[in-house]
Amino acid sequence: MYGRKADQTTPGLSRNPPLRLPVPHQQRRLASEDRSSDGNQRSNPVLEEYKRKHPDKPAKQEIPEGVGQPGDIAASSIFEDERRASSQQDGTTGTEEEEVTRVGGIVRDPANIARVLMPKPHARERYERKKVIQMVRKGARLTPKQFVKRTEREHLNKSYEMKTSVKKLGMLARQIAGKPIDEAIVQMRFSKKKVAQEILKQLEFARDEAVVMRGMGLGNAAAAEDKDKDILNDTSSDVTGLADGDLEEAKGRQRKTAAPIDIQLKDGKRHRVTDLSKIYIDQAWVGRGKYGKLPDYRARGRVNIMRTPWTSISVVLKEEATRVREYQEREAKRQKQLREKVWRALPDRPIQIQRQWYSW
């Protein structure tokens, strides 16, 4: 009532309207605007001036050979083969030089490929020269390790990460280590462990991979194929007049493979080897992978994040010939020690107590 009169404007709104900044707008230019009303191409004074000053230079930039045209399909496209085949049928592709390498119609420079495959050519050349000099000095003789690598086969296989702990997977790895691959597969097949079924699939994959990539385990199959040709039949002159029992015995003697070898393993167990190319698991170990995250819902809306372990298993597959060689080396070393040091002197010890009578 008294004093300054109150403002009668609407509450929340000011008398002065807010300032509005201008919004930047970019006008689009269409391809149709480059042409005049009669349909002819409009003149470009800048381009005409450039052509007048540089008559020997082309107005458009030429695309170098080996680079695809803009908008064309890539060399790795599935339609590139069809286009190349159709062009060959039409006779458009002529004879090309043998030195030029073309992949999908694009020229490939061998120097660029060598930069990726051989990043340090000079270092590789020095390394090869060094190895050749070493081979000449040694008279082309191989070291024991090199000889074993060239004469024996082995295969390393690492599995994918399984959702289990190192402790659980380690027990199964120790169970299959040292066993033939077929016996290890049987052990995993009838195991009560949940992760054993995944190990079973991995062992089967490792066995097939070793057979295909390394040629392991094929000695018995090749020998059986050769022996099937030489199996005696009932009409053979060598078995004429033999009884049925004698005939089966003769066939069994011919099917019989090389004499089995009895060896002793590192843990002291006896083992009989009937096929030197049979695959066995030489080593098996586990590796810890990255931890996963699993929510654990609790009361009052609380959530705990649990760390779930992931583990992988690796196996080294070898042939029985390797186990026989290792046994022969251990036996030769033991026999050498027995022959060279038949008698060993007792160690010299100081006399501590002296008596006037004998102590024995």
Side-chain angles (χ1 to χ4, degrees):
M1 295 177 64
Y2 302 98
R4 189 176 180 180
K5 187 177 180 180
D7 193 1
Q8 297 180 358
T9 58
T10 306
L13 297 178
S14 60
R15 293 183 178 181
N16 299 328
L19 297 177
R20 294 184 179 180
L21 300 177
V23 180
H25 175 69
Q26 183 177 4
Q27 185 178 4
R28 296 183 179 180
R29 183 178 179 182
L30 303 179
S32 59
E33 297 179 0
D34 294 340
R35 297 182 179 274
S36 58
S37 58
D38 54 356
N40 298 328
Q41 187 76 16
R42 292 183 178 180
S43 61
N44 189 347
V46 178
L47 182 59
E48 292 178 356
E49 182 68 18
Y50 177 80
K51 289 181 179 180
R52 187 176 58 81
K53 292 183 179 180
H54 306 280
D56 54 341
K57 293 185 179 181
K60 294 184 179 180
Q61 184 179 3
E62 297 181 358
I63 300 177
E65 185 181 1
V67 180
Q69 299 291 336
D72 195 4
I73 59 177
S76 59
S77 176
I78 59 176
F79 303 103
E80 178 65 23
D81 297 335
E82 298 179 1
R83 187 175 65 175
R84 191 186 308 111
S86 61
S87 61
Q88 290 178 358
Q89 292 177 0
D90 299 340
T92 56
T93 57
T95 57
E96 300 178 356
E97 299 180 1
E98 297 181 357
E99 299 179 357
V100 178
T101 304
R102 292 182 178 272
V103 178
I106 298 179
V107 178
R108 298 295 188 185
D109 188 4
N112 296 337
I113 300 176
R115 291 191 187 98
V116 179
L117 300 180
M118 193 185 306
K120 297 181 180 180
H122 298 290
R124 183 182 181 90
E125 184 179 355
R126 290 195 302 268
Y127 175 78
E128 292 178 352
R129 180 176 178 272
K130 175 183 175 182
K131 289 301 177 182
V132 170
I133 293 174
Q134 291 179 358
M135 183 182 66
V136 172
R137 286 179 178 176
K138 294 181 180 180
R141 293 187 301 270
L142 300 177
T143 61
K145 291 184 178 180
Q146 293 176 349
F147 182 78
V148 169
K149 287 290 185 181
R150 292 193 178 188
T151 55
E152 298 179 3
R153 298 183 178 96
E154 67 176 72
H155 181 66
L156 171 63
N157 179 268
K158 181 180 179 181
S159 69
Y160 56 91
E161 293 184 353
M162 308 174 186
K163 192 176 181 181
T164 183
S165 63
V166 175
K167 184 177 180 180
K168 296 177 182 178
L169 196 61
M171 292 186 290
L172 296 178
R174 287 187 291 271
Q175 181 181 353
I176 64 177
K179 288 184 172 59
I181 186 68
D182 297 332
E183 184 178 348
I185 290 176
V186 173
Q187 292 286 336
M188 294 296 102
R189 178 182 177 186
F190 295 100
S191 178
K192 297 181 180 180
K193 304 295 182 181
K194 180 180 178 181
V195 74
Q197 301 303 320
E198 299 184 19
I199 298 179
L200 169 64
K201 297 178 182 178
Q202 191 65 28
L203 289 179
E204 292 177 349
F205 175 76
R207 177 195 58 188
D208 300 341
E209 197 176 37
V211 172
V212 174
M213 297 178 60
R214 308 295 181 184
M216 301 171 61
L218 299 179
N220 196 12
E225 184 179 356
D226 296 339
K227 290 175 183 178
D228 289 342
K229 303 177 182 178
D230 302 332
I231 292 297
L232 299 176
N233 50 29
D234 298 340
T235 59
S236 177
S237 59
D238 298 337
V239 295
T240 304
L242 294 179
D244 294 340
D246 298 337
L247 179 61
E248 294 297 331
E249 184 179 356
K251 290 183 179 181
R253 286 197 304 267
Q254 195 166 4
R255 290 194 188 97
K256 188 177 181 181
T257 59
I261 305 174
D262 295 331
I263 63 175
Q264 186 177 7
L265 304 180
K266 293 182 180 180
D267 54 359
K269 296 181 180 179
R270 287 289 177 177
H271 180 67
R272 172 166 290 188
V273 178
T274 57
D275 183 12
L276 295 178
S277 64
K278 193 174 182 180
I279 304 175
Y280 78 98
I281 302 176
D282 182 65
Q283 302 177 34
W285 67 89
V286 297
R288 189 187 303 274
K290 296 183 179 180
Y291 283 94
K293 294 183 179 180
L294 186 66
D296 181 20
Y297 299 100
R298 309 297 295 179
R300 298 184 180 182
R302 298 179 181 178
V303 180
N304 299 332
I305 303 300
M306 298 187 298
R307 301 175 68 208
T308 56
W310 291 81
T311 316
S312 63
I313 182 172
S314 303
V315 293
V316 176
L317 304 181
K318 293 185 179 181
E319 293 182 339
E320 292 288 350
T322 303
R323 192 140 58 174
V324 173
R325 176 187 58 81
E326 293 176 352
Y327 165 73
Q328 293 175 353
E329 291 179 355
R330 291 195 303 268
E331 189 66 18
K333 183 178 180 181
R334 188 180 68 87
Q335 294 293 339
K336 183 179 179 181
Q337 291 178 354
L338 292 177
R339 289 193 304 267
E340 291 183 354
K341 297 182 180 180
V342 180
W343 177 82
R344 295 184 180 181
L346 296 176
D348 296 334
R349 295 190 180 93
I351 300 176
Q352 298 179 355
I353 301 176
Q354 296 183 8
R355 300 183 181 90
Q356 64 269 21
W357 58 82
Y358 295 106
S359 299
W360 59 84

